[in-house]
Amino acid sequence: MRFYDFKGAPSPTKVRIVIAEKGVEIPTESVNLRTLEQQGEAYRRVHPGATVPTLLLDDGTRLTESHAIAHYLEQLYPEPALLGRSPRERALIVMWHDITVLEGYVGAQEVLRNGSEAFKGRAVPGIEPFEQIPALVDRGRRRIGLYIDKLDRRLDESEYLAGDRYSYADISAYVTVGFAQRAIGDDPVAGHAAVARWLAAIAARPAVVAATQ
Ligand SMILES: N[C@@H](CCC(=O)N[C@@H](CS)C(=O)NCC(=O)O)C(=O)O
């Protein structure tokens, strides 16, 4: 098994945190997105779609979605459970993960990829060229704001997103909030006490510290 990673990118960071929480060692290779190494021939042989993360299994299977990789690792290393123990908890984890990806992550991605010079002609991840649409920057900012409001309401009534236990939903949302903070410059968390409380708790976890330093 080999994990293809890049420390500056949100999607592989979720997987890195899962690996650290499970306390396992997986051979890891960094693919430098800043120098476009993902588009080079060597990495395209690993994943023709040219994105990270990839988890390459010993039989040649490639898992190229962070959520799928989390599921695979959860089956291999069930403890500590990050994807739920009961039907209700499992469903809440998937629900908050989907909210995070579809509302928060896509919002942050719209801001970053349509507003930054570095992503000219690369407004969508992967190898297909896409021109930037500047109007998506403002839309993305609004979507991030609404997402953080939604997190705040949930975290005001619940210690973690899926209930009283830390889970992959928190990992996904924690990484996404950090991505949104970097993408929009000013801090979307300001004025959201419950999100701030929860961010501090996640940031202090030893596995999160180890995976993000
Ligand atoms: N849905 C995928 C997202 C993969 C993705 O978009 N990865 C980004 C980094 S966060 C990437 O590799 N970008 C390279 C590029 O756009 O060229 C997942 O969750 O793993």
Side-chain angles (χ1 to χ4, degrees):
M1 191 155 62
R2 183 168 287 267
F3 169 46
Y4 293 85
D5 186 16
F6 182 61
K7 284 212 162 173
S11 304
T13 297
K14 297 184 228 173
V15 174
R16 211 176 317 113
I17 293 174
V18 169
I19 292 170
E21 294 285 1
K22 300 283 183 189
V24 295
E25 296 283 333
I26 297 179
T28 297
E29 215 170 288
S30 180
V31 180
N32 191 340
L33 301 190
R34 291 204 184 95
T35 61
L36 298 183
E37 189 184 350
Q38 75 275 23
Q39 299 190 352
E41 221 178 285
Y43 187 63
R44 296 273 296 276
R45 274 197 295 274
V46 175
H47 174 27
T51 55
V52 287
T54 295
L55 188 70
L56 185 63
L57 308 189
D58 294 341
D59 70 357
T61 302
R62 65 174 91 87
L63 301 177
T64 60
E65 292 290 325
S66 45
H67 195 190
I69 296 171
H71 272 270
Y72 183 73
L73 295 176
E74 180 91 344
Q75 306 306 311
L76 283 190
Y77 312 108
E79 296 297 332
L82 296 173
L83 286 162
R85 293 188 192 273
S86 66
R88 179 180 176 278
E89 193 189 7
R90 287 194 183 102
L92 284 170
I93 291 167
V94 172
M95 185 180 95
W96 281 102
H97 172 266
D98 286 358
I99 290 170
T100 288
V101 171
L102 296 171
E103 301 176 24
Y105 183 83
V106 171
Q109 196 176 58
E110 282 177 346
V111 173
L112 182 73
R113 299 204 67 129
N114 292 284
S116 154
E117 193 67 21
F119 289 108
K120 269 212 149 107
R122 300 176 50 229
V124 173
I127 46 171
E128 288 296 326
F130 280 93
E131 290 309 320
Q132 293 177 320
I133 302 174
L136 289 179
V137 174
D138 277 346
R139 190 178 82 172
R141 283 178 175 275
R142 270 184 58 206
R143 295 192 72 198
I144 292 169
L146 293 170
Y147 167 68
I148 304 274
D149 289 346
K150 190 179 273 190
L151 283 189
D152 204 56
R153 287 192 298 274
R154 172 61 177 164
L155 292 166
D156 202 34
E157 62 179 28
S158 178
E159 186 174 358
Y160 295 105
L161 285 172
D164 57 9
R165 234 150 26 115
Y166 169 75
S167 76
Y168 185 68
D170 300 292
I171 295 173
S172 177
Y174 174 79
V175 170
T176 297
V177 171
F179 179 40
Q181 286 170 319
R182 292 194 301 281
I184 75 173
D186 51 357
D187 191 358
V189 174
H192 295 83
V195 174
R197 180 266 305 156
W198 164 87
L199 279 179
I202 312 276
R205 295 182 66 84
V208 173
V209 173
T212 56
Q213 66 196 357

